[in-house]
Amino acid sequence: MAGRLVKAGLVIRFHAVTLFPEMFAAVTASGISGRALEAGLWSLGLWNPRDFTSDNYRTVDDRPYGGGPGMVMLAEPLDKALDAARQAGGGKVIYLSPQGRKLDHAMVMELAGTTAMTFLCGRYEGVDERLIGRRVDEELSIGDYVLSGGELAAMAVIDAVVRQIPGALGGEQSALEESFVDGLLDCPQYTRPEVWPQDGAGGKVPAQVPSTLLSGHHENIRRWRLQQALGRTWLRRPDLLAARKLNDDERKLLEDFQRQRGESGK
Ligand code: 9WO
């Protein structure tokens, strides 16, 4: 089919400055991101600061001024690696660190609207502050915890952004149907068998698939799912619910959920 050869103009060129380029196989070789890479929807340039050193030992780190444990990444090799990424059309430089702005769905969508970005991946105890001050455009965190380096955080961002590129999700699947697009958590999902486990023992969840999902009544199913999404968001992430307007119908569905939960005595 001729249409298969025509693809939307949206291609994102990622770059990563990293001492561990081989780690990025996790997003290039598998799954949705791997398939989207093969489809030409994104590319990844990997730049190892060790390849931009000039001493015999290929030194990329040194001891912190002021003393203390561990090592700090040298500015010079990172600066040269970032120059190389920039010459390849690197876009904004993003440093992944726990000190950064916390990533959310809105920021993922903003990044997905750009054509290029370069992730600076720190290791050890961090990167010389002068390099950050001179070369970094944005500092991003994926959550309040410390990793061993920025690579896993960069890959989390790549994965989240790539799934927003039109065509990255196969078939009828659409990023528009995902959690957070609507400001709510996802509803529960079920597949075969209709009863599991057979003896129904244990668990805080019934063994039987909710009857509405088996009814074939599409409007009722849609409303059940919306109600579950509202109820779960209320229970687990009241902060998200507070940030979202509810229409009359949604408010009734949520009140109904809250009533039913009160009756079952939790
Ligand atoms: C390591 C360390 C060891 C002893 C005392 C203090 C220390 N701080 C650090 C540290 O923060 N290392 C970072 C490792 C340096 C920057 C790259 N690293 C990193 C990035 N860890 N966690 C992230 C990260 C990035 C984005 N979102 C969450 C975590």
Side-chain angles (χ1 to χ4, degrees):
M1 185 166 59
R4 282 173 57 86
L5 298 172
V6 183
K7 64 165 184 270
L10 185 53
V11 176
I12 302 184
R13 309 213 169 275
F14 296 97
H15 297 268
V17 170
T18 172
L19 287 171
F20 297 99
E22 64 286 349
M23 284 182 72
F24 285 79
V27 285
T28 60
S30 305
I32 287 167
S33 57
R35 194 186 49 197
L37 180 68
E38 278 176 26
L41 298 180
W42 63 286
S43 65
L44 178 62
L46 294 166
W47 311 93
N48 191 336
R50 213 174 281 288
D51 297 334
F52 296 86
T53 54
S54 40
D55 65 314
N56 287 336
Y57 302 102
R58 311 224 291 162
T59 309
V60 293
D61 61 342
D62 206 337
R63 295 154 69 200
Y65 278 122
M71 301 292 268
V72 174
M73 292 184 84
L74 293 167
E76 188 75 16
L78 292 175
D79 197 45
K80 289 178 172 159
L82 285 167
D83 283 342
R86 184 165 58 193
Q87 283 192 357
K92 270 200 309 194
V93 175
I94 299 171
Y95 180 51
L96 288 315
S97 95
Q99 285 80 47
R101 192 153 63 107
K102 187 95 64 74
L103 186 76
D104 63 11
H105 180 68
M107 277 153 79
V108 168
M109 296 310 290
E110 271 181 45
L111 293 174
T114 68
T115 57
M117 68 199 82
T118 297
F119 299 109
L120 174 59
C121 302
R123 281 272 152 178
Y124 316 119
E125 276 59 64
V127 170
D128 190 305
E129 186 65 22
R130 296 166 295 183
L131 185 281
I132 297 172
R134 282 161 203 269
R135 298 301 302 264
V136 170
D137 299 306
E138 281 219 57
E139 202 163 336
L140 275 192
S141 165
I142 62 162
D144 293 336
Y145 41 82
V146 179
L147 302 167
S148 303
E151 286 83 1
L152 284 169
M155 284 188 269
V157 179
I158 290 172
D159 186 273
V161 170
V162 163
R163 27 191 315 113
Q164 301 303 327
I165 303 175
L169 302 179
E172 72 272 39
Q173 234 183 335
S174 163
L176 292 174
E177 287 164 26
E178 288 181 77
S179 187
F180 292 115
V181 173
D182 199 23
L184 300 174
L185 301 181
D186 267 344
C187 62
Q189 309 285 342
Y190 294 86
T191 186
R192 295 194 297 174
E194 274 184 34
V195 179
W196 184 89
Q198 202 46 247
D199 64 10
K204 35 199 173 180
V205 171
Q208 171 73 48
V209 173
S211 58
T212 306
L213 296 179
L214 306 173
S215 69
H217 192 303
H218 298 298
E219 179 58 14
N220 286 356
I221 291 169
R222 185 193 69 76
R223 289 174 60 77
W224 181 87
R225 286 179 167 158
L226 176 58
Q227 183 176 51
Q228 292 293 314
L230 288 161
R232 284 181 146 199
T233 309
W234 170 66
L235 285 171
R236 302 184 192 186
R237 292 295 305 276
D239 58 312
L240 290 180
L241 205 58
R244 190 187 183 280
K245 288 200 170 71
L246 300 186
N247 64 33
D248 290 351
D249 196 37
E250 290 167 342
R251 198 170 312 106
K252 282 205 197 83
L253 285 170
L254 178 57
E255 283 166 8
D256 201 46
F257 180 98
Q258 292 164 332
R259 236 187 323 274
Q260 284 173 36
R261 190 167 162 283
E263 282 162 17
S264 67
K266 279 214 166 172

